[in-house]
């Protein structure tokens, strides 16, 4: 396995980050809109959480388009950037374990902190949706990590 070239330009690294974030986000959307309804009877709608957070934290209503855009920006760029920063900071070399740990962390923050801030029960009351959300977050982060590393090696 060829190591990531440390001398790849910042614009190239950001493009790789966006491409890998896009691949992971496509997987997440597939899970949310096709797999979740088949297994849970409804799609996953993180935009509703974003809207509820805007309402409870900032006393403002935001459009569905803005809520979806915020969540997409987080999935395409912000969460991947944080993952790479933490992975680099800690010198983590593996793909699987850091990605799984990060996915669990994202899920825990969403279920234990953000859901209650939005007026929902802690971990949504541990319903099947809660556990499916864990699967979705971990799948997203693992696919991002694998895609990023593969794309970076090809540069």
């Amino acid at each position: 396995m060829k190591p990531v070239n440390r001398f790849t330009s910042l614009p190239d690294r950001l493009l790789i980050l966006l491409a890998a974030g896009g691949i992971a986000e496509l997987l997440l959307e597939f899970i949310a809109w096709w797999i979740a309804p088949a297994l849970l009877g409804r799609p996953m709608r993180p935009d509703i959480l974003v809207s509820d957070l805007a309402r409870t934290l900032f006393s403002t209503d935001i459009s569905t388009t803005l809520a979806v855009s915020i969540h997409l920006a987080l999935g395409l760029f912000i969460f991947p950037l944080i993952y790479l920063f933490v992975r680099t900071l800690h010198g983590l070399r593996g793909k699987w374990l850091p990605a799984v740990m990060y996915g669990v962390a994202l899920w825990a923050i969403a279920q234990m902190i953000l859901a209650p801030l939005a007026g929902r029960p802690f971990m949504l009351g541990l319903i099947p949706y809660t556990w499916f959300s864990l699967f979705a977050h971990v799948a997203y982060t693992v696919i991002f990590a694998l895609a990023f590393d593969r794309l970076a090696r090809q540069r």
Side-chain angles (χ1 to χ4, degrees):
M1 175 164 41
K2 186 171 113 181
V4 174
N5 182 354
R6 291 184 199 169
F7 302 106
T8 303
S9 70
L10 182 59
D12 283 349
R13 301 278 292 172
L14 290 176
L15 285 174
I16 293 167
L17 179 114
L18 283 172
I23 291 166
E25 192 60 41
L26 284 172
L27 170 73
L28 186 62
E29 295 300 321
F30 178 76
I31 290 169
W33 291 101
W34 284 277
I35 297 175
L39 297 176
L40 302 174
R42 64 182 168 139
M44 298 179 75
R45 297 275 315 272
D47 60 292
I48 296 173
L49 176 62
V50 173
S51 294
D52 289 347
L53 284 167
R55 191 173 304 107
T56 58
L57 296 178
F58 304 110
S59 300
T60 187
D61 288 325
I62 62 173
S63 68
T64 301
T65 302
L66 179 57
V68 167
S69 297
I70 290 169
H71 193 264
L72 284 175
L74 290 169
L76 285 171
F77 189 71
I78 303 301
F79 292 151
L81 192 60
I82 293 168
Y83 169 76
L84 291 176
F85 175 74
V86 170
R87 188 174 84 168
T88 302
L89 182 69
H90 290 290
L92 300 171
R93 297 284 178 232
K95 293 181 193 99
W96 293 98
L97 185 59
V100 169
M101 290 171 35
Y102 188 60
V104 171
L106 288 177
W107 170 78
I109 290 166
Q111 298 297 325
M112 296 178 187
I113 298 170
L114 298 179
L117 280 175
R120 298 174 182 182
F122 180 79
M123 294 192 77
L124 301 177
L126 299 173
I127 60 175
Y129 185 99
T130 307
W131 302 111
F132 194 77
S133 174
L134 173 60
F135 162 75
H137 282 88
V138 170
Y140 162 81
T141 56
V142 167
I143 292 301
F144 168 77
L146 294 173
F148 180 84
D149 288 344
R150 181 165 182 124
L151 291 170
R153 276 196 317 273
Q154 292 176 350
R155 295 292 299 157

